[in-house]
Amino acid sequence: MSRGTLRVYLGLAPGVGKTFRMLDEGWRRRERGADVVIGLVETHGRKLTAAQIRDMEIVPRKAFEYRGTVIEEMDLEAILARNPQMVLVDELAHTNAPGSINEKRWEDVEAILEAGIDVITTVNIQHLESLNDVVEKITGIVQRETVPDTIVRRAEQIELVDITPEALRRRMAHGNIYPAEKIDASLSNFFRSGNLTALRELSLLWLADRVEDSLKKYLDDHDIQESWETRERLIVAVTGSEGDEALLRRAARMASRTGAEILAVHVIDSGALQQRTADTTLARELTVEFEGTFQEIMDEDVATALVSFARSERGTQIVMGSSRNRKSIKRSGTVEKVLRQAHDLDVHIIAVGGEKPKRTWRRRKIGTYPWQRQLSGIAAAGVFLPLITWALASVRSNVSNSTVFLVYLVVVLGVASWGGVVAGLVAALAASALENFYFVRPLHTFQVARPDDVVAIVAFFLFAFGSNILVNLFSQRSSEAERARAEAEILARAAATVATTRDDLVPLLDSLRAVFAVPTVALLELREGEWMTELASGEEFDPAELNARFPIDDEHVLVMAGASLDNQDRQLIGAFVGRVAAGIESQRLAQESAERQAAIETDELRTSLLRAVSHDLRTPLATIEANVSSLLQPDVVWSASEQNNFLQAVNREVHRLTRLVTNLLDAARLESKIVKPRVVEVALDDLVASALETIDSQGRVFDIDLADDVPLVETDPDLAERVIANIVSNACRFGPPDQPIRICGGATSEGVELLVIDRGPGIPEKKRVAMMASFQNLSDERSGAGLGLSVASEIMTLLGGELRFEDTPGGGLTVAIDLERED
Amino acid sequence: MGKRILVVDDEVQILRALRINLEARGYVVTTSQGGDEALRFVRDNELDLVILDLELPGTSGLEVLKTIRSKSEVPVIILSARSGDPEKMLALDEGANDYLAKPFGMGDLIMRVRALLQVNVNDPSGLSTTDFTLDFVNSVATRGGEPVELTTVEWKILHVLVLSGGRLVTDRQLLKEVFGDDEPHDAAHFRHHITQIRRKLEPEPARPRYVRTEPGIGYRFYGSNASLAGQAKRA
């Protein structure tokens, strides 16, 4: 027998018309001669849907009795016995009543399909397992009933019952979906237009099987977890010239169109011989005005630094100015270079008038030495070369020319290694000239008599110059190696840090500060619109003065004071920032999930509370009503003793209700944590006596045995009394009526212990923990006991004591209440 | 003319029930649903007792109590919403004479009303209950016909409690009356006297019938004439 086919009507929300469509399709098949029956249809009281059933055969539902109510479920066995060609089954994700063959309706459907019967079913998008989380995030509503995606995906046909959110809301408002009293609340909750749009898109995505790759984007787009990465970022290259204003204003206009963020950057050319003090004040002010951030970086290659900065900051577009002043060759060169390198970035070149930059400078590629050092190298050459020349000249007869050349070479290398390539070159040229003038014949002329001397001088120069370059390369490499080592170290440390708390990040800040030799590194957090220092390493600082800011996310920024950072530094810090961001994110997620968990638990609590309490409330109310209405009957004249009986019963039930309501109120107050214990010194026997006065002992005998030397206890008398009353009350309820309940107490090494001992059935050890959970009931007969116990246990936690459960030797339960003793 | 009682509560049904009960016992009852109205009435009329709910709309019960106490020593019984209500302690500190937590039995209320309205209780020379007798003049106590030895402090405590005639006596009051102001006292030691009294006089010391405690608040003696109404069976 071949498996039946499955057809699924997928809806984005309740009320889109799935059931209607299912019935419609059923009728279409039936009119074509198929044997179609209804396995189960939920009309939810919707008239149009009910009318659509018409006279189609319905397999009667099966009734289950569960906790006093009758639940009707689809009768799987009857359907299989009926064996039609096709069954219509509504709400695939439904959970069956306990006692059914399968736990879930989709399992029933599987069984029907296995039997070779075709099934048409309906399911809502929020019930798909894989979308459960997302839907919860969108709507804030927890869906408990889910169906595995694979079950739905296996369907031969999935049809989306599509409807625009507006149309659905209209239908809702007309009362076609829910009864009138539920409409307003539903429209403002689940049926919010935004929700419906989101659910609709989600449905379409799921159908296209593109949820996985679209999910992230989807969540971002819908601000479900706003992420800074998704915002467009305009990198604006400012130069400190007058064109900056035009450039920034233009960029701001572009940004406002796309909602982008402005990131102005000033690249200081570290290769410039003359250190530039460009005036970026205006650019900074404008950037702040446009709500952007301003950064300064230093690099010898302006174009590369700019593009690399844009990438590391996840910029999407670069905006830079182009001067029409063609003399500014360097600028246009930079523009071209940026254009060549920015493959995936949009580059906007804005004409910014003809003014020259405030200062022009010659740029020379001369290694990484600061100009002061280079000048001092040249000066050293100016001192040492004449000195050596004088010394060698005075002993000229005793030394060969090769010695002279070697001594000069030592000086040149010394100068080169101190002052860099330029100083080395100057020294090499000067040394060659001095050799020629003072030591090569004919002396004191720049002429050279012998050809091999020409070769010697040229070789000297080449050798000196070559060594100069090698020395420089070597020192550059070694400083790079030093830096790489430091970087590796900080990255390793960052990677090894498990940032479970904020303070875990402090060592990272310390090492950053050390590596970049800056006075301060700090982590700022945006709180109520102001940047507050969350963590800091180093000196005190004024947040306004920190010149390098690295955004971590919308609410956190890493700031460093006192450093101009080059591009390589930024990359390292970028990696670090990534680590910090991950730490902060994981802390946030942990917090969120804890909150969500708490919300779910509260929800579950409410449900079980309602279940437990409705029974306990109804019973005394019913008794009271029966007795009071008897008294009010006009047709009977009750005797005094009969009246008294009625009134006694009412009185008893009122006390029962009072106890229950007190416990409920206590539970609620404890839950909301508004109870503040008022701790005083009280006597244990007073607590017991006054607790016993509040309970209905049902004629039970108490065997009270409190030691003479029991110290006073330090506790809140009202709360402690509630604990004792609840525990004794339970003992009365479950202990056999003919056995006394023993209450004994005495001092222990730590405090005072009160034991309430019953001879009832006891509680198995494994159930004891569960019993303490709020509103947990052991069984239906025990209903209400759980509430009292849970209140007692919550109160004990509040009082800093403990409730312990032990077996009574010979059978029964012993509850130990630990109280604090006076000092 | 009967004693005049003002009942202040915002719940009409409670007011009705209290009025019926108090009037049936011969008191003249005025009811008020709000604090401001109650204060006007207190200002313009002579009263013998005020029964005051702490949870009132508008001017709170505690405020009403403070205003009453600022010019009058009229006895006040506080009705509080919950047994663990911290307001209850504040009210006692502000000079309320007694309190009752809602819901309450009518017997408990009538007992408190009677205790507070006793005209100048004469210094009792003695007391006789079904379980024991006390002769304060000769310092002789018997229980079931058998003589019982009581210490001086125990006699003092019993004297204060019996004199109070069912009114609430706070811990502080009792200590002050028994030991005087200056005596430093040890709470545990004092408690020992209470335990001893119960041992000697109560038929079931662990569940005292006469010398009752409101833990953390004070003591109340059941057994004087005024408190007999309160002996109605409690839940």
Side-chain angles (χ1 to χ4, degrees), chain A residues 633-649:
Chain A
Q633 290 298 308
D635 55 337
V636 191
V637 179
W638 304 106
S639 73
S641 85
E642 283 166 333
Q643 282 186 20
N644 193 44
N645 281 344
F646 285 134
L647 289 171
Q648 290 289 353

Side-chain angles (χ1 to χ4, degrees), chain A residues 655 658 669 678 680-683 685-687 689-690 692-693 695 702 704 708 712 717-718 822, chain B residues 82-84 88-89 103 187-188 191 195 198-199 206-208 212-213 215-217 219 234-235:
Chain A
H655 283 119
T658 304
R669 287 194 304 144
R678 180 182 63 91
V680 293
E681 286 177 4
V682 283
D685 52 352
D686 284 348
L687 283 178
S690 97
L692 291 184
E693 276 185 35
I695 66 166
F702 294 105
I704 302 168
D708 265 354
L712 295 183
D718 288 318
E822 53 135 5
Chain B
R82 300 184 302 262
S83 59
K88 168 183 78 186
M89 288 311 291
R191 265 297 312 173
T195 310
R198 286 179 181 157
R199 287 257 168 86
R207 303 187 70 185
R212 302 258 190 106
T213 313
I217 297 168
Y219 297 86
R234 308 208 358 170

Side-chain angles (χ1 to χ4, degrees), chain A residues 303-324:
Chain A
T304 310
L306 187 61
V307 173
S308 157
F309 173 83
R311 291 228 167 81
S312 74
E313 293 294 330
R314 294 164 217 235
T316 45
Q317 304 179 35
I318 295 176
V319 181
M320 57 194 303
S322 165
S323 170
R324 265 176 254 138

Side-chain angles (χ1 to χ4, degrees), chain A residues 55 63 123 171 173 229 274 293 373 430 433 454 474 490 544 552 645:
Chain A
D55 59 346
V123 72
R171 287 180 61 178
E229 293 141 56
Q274 217 169 0
T293 48
R373 227 172 115 177
V454 176
F474 170 75
I490 186 172
I552 294 169
N645 281 344

